[in-house]
Amino acid sequence: MNEVKTPKKPLLYYYVIVLLVLLLFNFLAMPWIAQNQIVDVDYNTFIEMTENGEISRAELQDATNRILFTDTNEKIVYKTAMVDDPDLISRLNDNGVSFRGEEIEQSSGFLSALLSWVLPMVIFIGIGQYMSRRFMQRAGGPNSMMFGKNSAKVYVKSSDGIKFSDVAGEDEAKDNLREIVDYLHDPQKYREIGASMPKGILLVGPPGTGKTMLAKAVAGEANVPFFSMSGSEFVEMFVGMGAAKVRDLFKQAKEKAPCIVFIDEIDAIGKKRDGQLGGNDEREQTLNQLLTEMDGFEDNTGVIILAATNRPESLDPALTRPGRFDRRVPVELPDLKGREEILRVHAKKIKVADDVDFNRIARMASGASGAELANIVNEAALRAVRGGRRFATQADLEESIEVVIAGYQKKNAILTDAEKRIVAYHEVGHAIVAARQSGSAPVQKITIVPRTSGALGYTMQVEEGNHYLMSREELENKIATYTGGRAAEELVFGSVTTGASNDIEQATKLARAMITRYGMSDDFDMVALETVTNQYLGGDASLACSAKTQADVDAKVVELVKRQHRKALDILEANRAKLDEIASWLYEKETITGDEFMAILNK
Ligand code: ADP
């Protein structure tokens, strides 16, 4: 779609510039013009012209010591300096020149008035008109002053508009929105039966899952104008400006109905009003205006408001009540099938080898959002160019997953031999503990090539299919796998390193969640001890229990992690020979595949 933006500078600004130019013109140029209409001559010429009867009137200005006189047609004004001439009066009299002490008009009154007053005004109005017409064209609507106007981007229809087919996966969301498209095509059908469309639809989900794309696709499918604005663009420095923008946005939308208004990141203005004194007045006023506007227009006017947010729980209840944003469309992270489809959609934009296994890539990229998958495909294309290939291969795509997850490979050897050996044991420790427990995802790859993200190596495990539920045993096994790296170091080197810091973080997080949120401890039963505050943005949790319970929880977490750590140590002790063998092999090769690993382990 083509994006048409409104101008940044208010009209007032241009008016002021034009006014200044005109004032300068009047002060500097006009006296100069007037001055130049008087012809300066010497006294001889004056006498000569008098005697030849070429003068009609004369004015003797004693104060300025000059004589002004006109030709017989009184078109040209001449001036000359006065000299001590006793015959002057008689000469003028003799030649029939009328003279007086009063000032002669320097030019014809009409011309002077035209130049100094009418012309500037005409220019001023002309330029003003021209500019305001240009602004109107660019803003796509009538505009008087730009003060407090919204800067909504208007997407006009164009042939490359986004359609539902461009948004892969997200079938539920698309089904939900198809109804809106149908309504925009044929509102009459809905009016006849008395059904009214929801005025507002809230798209909620983690970042990069295609919410903006879906909103654009609705506009593209329905072939209607699409107004897009980010919530933060409403909030201005001055109280009341945001509200003015909301008013203006809705005014424009109503004029262009049927149309779609899309407000991205609506939590920027739609946050709960907490009633505290000294709150953000501008934000609250803007929100109030939005609520009023949504109530203000009738059902079935053809204006549909879509909004997107990653933080639905922070929205004001007034915003989500029926009659406002009452329909909520979840746009979740894609599942395996969705990931595969998204990869295929984006792979169409680049050249890929025929034998690429998208299913395998999709499985490897578990947990990736649509935006990340798009990024992975692009990285693969870049990598192919770097390698001098004409199309991206399976290896390009697999490597680019690792680039997106862990960063680029570090080119220079940064590890000493001793460190490299420790990292090899650490990673094989993870892999063996994972492989020796039931229900763990199979190991796909083990590598000890350092990455720019800081990872010195990693073990990639890939699920076979979708996994929606995790049992207590699976979670415990996962914790054991996290501790496997450190356990291998302890077992082999008898000391520990900082390399396990990330594992420790992950293991603790999981153990805590098991106890406080999943009800997987014997003592607390099904009591929620933590609430998740940011479901779509990393899932931060805040404790909701007494200080004493917190202490108990901490003790339980420690106990749980310790138990799994012990288990990992036991597993590795039992597989010590394999650990040594695979670690030294990994040390040599730096990267081994899951199949190679399993082959040695099961030999
Ligand atoms: P959001 O608004 O949810 O943060 P966007 O709609 O801006 O995410 O998506 C960002 C980019 O990610 C899109 O431009 C697109 O390239 C890619 N993308 C995300 N989801 C999908 C999807 N379902 N199908 C195809 N591409 C997607």
Side-chain angles (χ1 to χ4, degrees):
M1 293 194 184
N2 295 333
E3 191 180 299
V4 186
K5 282 189 184 169
T6 49
K8 294 273 180 293
K9 289 189 175 124
L11 200 55
L12 198 60
Y13 170 85
Y14 292 98
Y15 269 113
V16 170
I17 296 282
V18 172
L19 193 63
L20 280 177
V21 170
L22 285 176
L23 282 177
L24 273 178
F25 175 77
N26 248 349
F27 277 114
L28 298 177
M30 284 305 288
W32 185 80
I33 291 171
Q35 198 70 37
N36 277 289
Q37 284 173 326
I38 304 176
V39 183
D40 207 350
V41 293
D42 53 23
Y43 202 73
N44 289 346
T45 319
F46 170 61
I47 295 173
E48 215 170 280
M49 284 175 76
T50 314
E51 286 173 352
N52 293 344
E54 289 170 13
I55 292 178
S56 162
R57 290 193 290 141
E59 184 185 305
L60 311 178
Q61 294 183 336
D62 280 332
T64 50
N65 199 31
R66 61 179 189 173
I67 303 170
L68 291 180
F69 56 97
T70 68
D71 62 349
T72 43
N73 296 328
E74 298 198 2
K75 283 263 168 66
I76 306 170
V77 179
Y78 299 89
K79 85 168 184 213
T80 185
M82 217 180 259
V83 293
D84 189 14
D85 180 1
D87 300 334
L88 174 63
I89 304 296
S90 59
R91 193 177 295 126
L92 289 175
N93 264 334
D94 292 350
N95 290 292
V97 178
S98 86
F99 63 95
R100 53 185 171 177
E102 184 183 303
E103 180 132 12
I104 294 175
E105 286 174 38
Q106 290 178 3
S107 64
S108 83
F110 175 70
L111 190 67
S112 166
L114 187 77
L115 278 176
S116 62
W117 289 106
V118 183
L119 193 64
M121 270 162 76
V122 169
I123 296 175
F124 186 60
I125 292 169
I127 294 179
Q129 285 287 324
Y130 167 73
M131 292 207 160
S132 81
R133 206 166 308 136
R134 269 194 50 193
F135 288 154
M136 266 197 270
Q137 276 168 5
R138 285 164 67 186
N143 244 335
S144 49
M145 292 298 233
M146 288 303 293
F147 192 72
K149 286 274 155 176
N150 81 70
S151 45
K153 296 173 218 148
V154 184
Y155 290 85
V156 289
K157 295 167 275 178
S158 80
S159 54
D160 63 335
I162 296 180
K163 291 279 166 63
F164 278 144
S165 56
D166 297 311
V167 188
E170 306 299 348
D171 293 329
E172 297 78 17
K174 278 197 271 185
D175 280 347
N176 221 318
L177 294 172
R178 244 182 223 115
E179 195 182 345
I180 307 291
V181 175
D182 187 51
Y183 166 76
L184 289 170
H185 273 310
D186 186 7
Q188 193 53 32
K189 190 166 82 185
Y190 290 79
R191 267 181 225 135
E192 269 168 16
I193 205 167
S196 55
M197 258 302 124
K199 285 180 190 168
I201 295 162
L202 201 58
L203 301 166
V204 297
T209 45
K211 297 183 290 296
T212 312
M213 253 188 127
L214 276 168
K216 284 186 189 170
V218 172
E221 292 277 345
N223 239 337
V224 296
F226 179 67
F227 295 84
S228 157
M229 197 147 171
S230 169
S232 58
E233 284 176 67
F234 285 110
V235 183
E236 294 273 346
M237 190 162 63
F238 303 110
V239 175
M241 293 271 281
K245 283 186 172 184
V246 172
R247 256 194 310 275
D248 192 65
L249 176 64
F250 277 83
K251 191 163 151 267
Q252 280 194 40
K254 275 183 248 173
E255 281 163 9
K256 289 254 161 38
C259 69
I260 288 176
V261 175
F262 177 59
I263 305 175
D264 206 356
E265 313 291 352
I266 194 167
D267 43 285
I269 47 168
K271 238 184 256 149
K272 280 194 189 89
R273 289 164 292 184
D274 46 15
Q276 279 174 5
L277 283 178
N280 190 334
D281 279 347
E282 163 66 350
R283 195 170 54 72
E284 289 193 3
Q285 280 210 15
T286 310
L287 174 59
N288 284 337
Q289 188 63 41
L290 181 63
L291 298 178
T292 321
E293 288 290 345
M294 289 194 75
D295 284 341
F297 65 87
E298 301 291 310
D299 292 342
N300 291 326
T301 43
V303 181
I304 300 274
I305 307 157
L306 297 178
T309 179
N310 317 320
R311 308 179 55 194
E313 72 285 340
S314 74
L315 292 182
D316 197 285
L319 201 58
T320 49
R321 77 140 167 81
R324 290 181 184 141
F325 287 102
D326 47 2
R327 188 177 286 190
R328 186 178 281 214
V329 176
V331 187
E332 297 286 350
L333 285 176
D335 58 7
L336 178 59
K337 185 166 151 282
R339 287 200 299 275
E340 193 178 331
E341 283 173 21
I342 295 174
L343 283 170
R344 281 183 196 280
V345 162
H346 286 280
K348 278 198 201 122
K349 298 176 195 159
I350 67 166
K351 287 200 179 124
V352 284
D354 297 334
D355 60 347
V356 166
D357 183 353
F358 285 106
N359 182 273
R360 186 181 152 96
I361 314 276
R363 275 193 287 127
M364 286 174 77
S366 135
S369 67
E372 278 166 332
L373 292 168
N375 195 6
I376 286 170
V377 172
N378 189 47
E379 275 294 336
L382 290 176
R383 191 166 182 271
V385 175
R386 241 177 276 137
R389 286 177 291 279
R390 293 209 344 275
F391 43 78
T393 60
Q394 178 84 18
D396 287 329
L397 281 157
E398 286 184 12
E399 170 63 23
S400 63
I401 292 177
E402 290 169 53
V403 168
V404 171
I405 295 172
Y408 289 95
Q409 292 187 355
K410 279 193 182 160
K411 288 278 176 270
N412 305 329
I414 55 161
L415 294 180
T416 63
D417 264 1
E419 281 172 334
K420 198 169 146 191
R421 196 165 292 281
I422 294 173
V423 177
Y425 269 100
H426 184 106
E427 296 307 330
V428 176
H430 285 306
I432 290 182
V433 174
R436 282 286 178 249
Q437 294 177 114
S438 59
S440 296
V443 173
Q444 172 82 25
K445 184 177 182 179
I446 312 171
T447 168
I448 52 167
V449 180
R451 296 273 169 173
T452 46
S453 68
L456 298 176
Y458 58 85
T459 305
M460 184 191 262
Q461 287 175 271
V462 175
E463 296 279 359
E464 288 296 344
N466 281 323
H467 214 81
Y468 297 109
L469 286 178
M470 296 274 270
S471 68
R472 181 173 176 163
E473 288 66 40
E474 282 170 330
L475 288 174
E476 284 176 351
N477 289 352
K478 223 172 161 175
I479 296 175
T481 305
Y482 283 131
T483 60
R486 164 65 64 88
E489 288 178 39
E490 286 169 318
L491 200 65
V492 178
F493 303 100
S495 75
V496 293
T497 66
T498 52
S501 61
N502 185 39
D503 302 333
I504 292 171
E505 205 181 309
Q506 301 281 348
T508 312
K509 222 170 161 179
L510 201 55
R512 185 169 280 276
M514 282 176 72
I515 291 162
T516 59
R517 281 161 45 205
Y518 305 144
M520 289 181 179
S521 69
D522 302 324
D523 293 354
F524 298 119
D525 204 43
M526 283 182 59
V527 174
L529 304 173
E530 256 181 6
T531 46
V532 179
T533 44
N534 255 339
Q535 189 190 352
Y536 295 119
L537 298 174
D540 297 340
S542 56
L543 275 171
C545 56
S546 71
K548 181 185 171 299
T549 317
Q550 274 180 34
D552 289 350
V553 168
D554 290 339
K556 291 236 171 298
V557 171
V558 173
E559 189 196 312
L560 175 57
V561 174
K562 258 190 175 165
R563 204 167 52 232
Q564 298 312 315
H565 188 173
R566 184 67 250 163
K567 186 166 91 187
L569 275 169
D570 290 345
I571 292 174
L572 292 178
E573 249 167 77
N575 292 275
R576 178 62 203 260
K578 296 282 179 198
L579 176 64
D580 288 335
E581 187 184 350
I582 302 173
S584 61
W585 203 49
L586 180 62
Y587 175 82
E588 290 300 324
K589 290 196 56 175
E590 297 200 336
T591 300
I592 59 176
T593 66
D595 293 340
E596 290 167 333
F597 165 76
M598 288 312 284
I600 304 179
L601 193 64
N602 295 330
K603 202 161 55 187

